[in-house]
Amino acid sequence: MDEVEHDVTKARQAKTQVGSLRTHPDGTRERTKVPVALSEAFLADLLDQVCQRMNDYKLEVDPVTKEKTFKRFAPRKGDKLYQEFKKFSFYSEAYRPLKFACESIIEEYEDEILSLIAREARYLADKLCSEKPGLCKTSDHTEF
């Protein structure tokens, strides 16, 4: 959800024109400006591609609690280190369970995620977790 929230936060600052294909009798079309984050095209593209970035995360185990969490290690596009970082290729089978979990969550909770974005909610992961108990913790204490 961190990836979704990051992209939505960036997109909230930009506007795009939307409208219908229907032409009025005077030859004009109805057009309005909305935040990019609320456009159907942006949201569909975001949810289709967000899980591809799961290889930017690594699994960490808290030495005291033994709790497993995935933490982002790669810089995002636009960060100062990004140009240097993208020269290297990192691939590991270790991220595959995270990618699968991401795809499963997106597929099952797409409507709820889109609703949170439409309501301009912040902290999407926390809100989704509070609305869907049991989603964010699995039996082996791995957080998604």
Side-chain angles (χ1 to χ4, degrees):
M1 290 309 300
D2 181 54
E3 292 298 315
V4 171
E5 185 151 5
H6 177 265
D7 287 1
V8 167
T9 299
K10 282 184 7 186
R12 280 189 174 125
Q13 295 154 15
K15 301 259 188 214
T16 188
Q17 281 194 346
V18 297
S20 71
L21 297 175
R22 193 168 147 184
T23 304
H24 296 290
D26 64 359
T28 62
R29 291 185 181 169
E30 191 173 314
R31 294 265 190 209
T32 57
K33 282 192 171 197
V34 298
V36 171
L38 298 179
S39 76
E40 272 186 58
F42 169 79
L43 293 172
D45 190 48
L46 171 63
L47 294 183
D48 283 346
Q49 296 181 10
V50 71
C51 297
Q52 299 301 318
R53 291 183 255 161
M54 294 302 105
N55 62 339
D56 291 346
Y57 288 77
K58 67 177 184 157
L59 183 62
E60 289 186 353
V61 180
D62 185 290
V64 176
T65 65
K66 304 298 183 211
E67 185 174 13
K68 297 176 184 177
T69 57
F70 284 94
K71 302 274 184 181
R72 185 178 182 80
F73 73 90
R76 288 191 165 99
K77 197 173 189 176
D79 290 348
K80 289 181 182 181
L81 294 174
Y82 181 76
Q83 291 302 320
E84 278 301 308
F85 188 81
K86 76 176 188 174
K87 294 177 185 176
F88 301 98
S89 176
F90 297 94
Y91 181 80
S92 168
E93 290 291 318
Y95 89 95
R96 291 179 74 72
L98 181 60
K99 183 179 180 209
F100 178 75
C102 175
E103 290 167 345
S104 298
I105 290 168
I106 295 293
E107 184 176 324
E108 188 168 342
Y109 298 102
E110 181 175 356
D111 291 340
E112 289 88 345
I113 294 167
L114 295 176
S115 174
L116 288 171
I117 293 169
R119 292 185 304 201
E120 297 191 12
R122 303 283 191 239
Y123 311 106
L124 294 174
D126 293 341
K127 296 246 189 217
L128 188 60
C129 290
S130 68
E131 290 180 11
K132 301 292 178 188
L135 170 64
C136 299
K137 293 273 187 183
T138 62
S139 58
D140 69 353
H141 303 293
T142 303
E143 278 191 41
F144 293 106

